[in-house]
Amino acid sequence: MVLKTDNQEESGLDWLKWLLALALLLAGLIANYYYSELSLLIRTMGWLAVLALSGLIASRTRKGKWVLDFFQDSRAELRKVVWPTRQETLQTTMVVAAMVVILALLLWGMDGILVWLIGWLTGQRG
């Protein structure tokens, strides 16, 4: 029961955290414009710092924690994938390329036949 109250209080302050993160991004945008005479490297480093701080603040919200959990779960699932060998990849690529060429030739032939047939039916070809 106490946990529900704590979670509700945390989610009640989420709007403030989101507002702070957005205000920080807006301040970074204004600072980037205001200090346009500085070198691009310095402004880029400043933007990276602003993005990191804003992301840290946003990650402390309920939605932010959900996104972090999602990425962690996705990474764990990606580690479970059995990737094909180089030879399997090359063989599959060759089969796909051959099928594309065969279907392209088939469609080209069908198109030629249909053009000839329509020309014959409309009397444009002798």
Side-chain angles (χ1 to χ4, degrees):
M1 193 95 165
V2 174
L3 290 175
K4 283 186 176 181
T5 307
D6 290 341
N7 286 340
Q8 288 173 353
E9 287 178 13
E10 283 182 18
S11 64
L13 294 178
D14 279 355
W15 67 271
L16 183 62
K17 293 175 186 175
W18 284 113
L19 186 65
L20 182 61
L22 288 174
L24 189 60
L25 287 174
L26 184 62
L29 183 65
I30 292 169
N32 187 47
Y33 177 75
Y34 185 74
Y35 293 109
S36 61
E37 71 276 352
L38 290 177
S39 75
L40 182 62
L41 178 64
I42 293 173
R43 287 186 291 146
T44 302
M45 296 298 282
W47 260 117
L48 290 176
V50 166
L51 287 175
L53 186 59
S54 182
L56 180 69
I57 292 170
S59 71
R60 300 297 180 206
T61 63
R62 202 168 99 215
K63 286 280 188 190
K65 290 176 185 175
W66 179 83
V67 168
L68 288 178
D69 289 342
F70 176 78
F71 283 133
Q72 288 172 351
D73 292 344
S74 297
R75 188 171 182 200
E77 288 296 322
L78 194 60
R79 289 182 181 166
K80 295 178 186 177
V81 173
V82 178
W83 297 101
T85 63
R86 182 176 176 85
Q87 183 181 2
E88 290 171 338
T89 304
L90 286 175
Q91 288 173 347
T92 305
T93 303
M94 291 302 167
V95 168
V96 169
M99 288 303 298
V100 166
V101 169
I102 290 169
L103 285 174
L105 290 173
L106 182 66
L107 289 172
W108 175 67
M110 290 173 60
D111 180 55
I113 291 169
L114 288 172
V115 165
W116 178 83
L117 183 62
I118 290 171
W120 181 74
L121 287 173
T122 59
Q124 293 178 357
R125 295 192 184 232

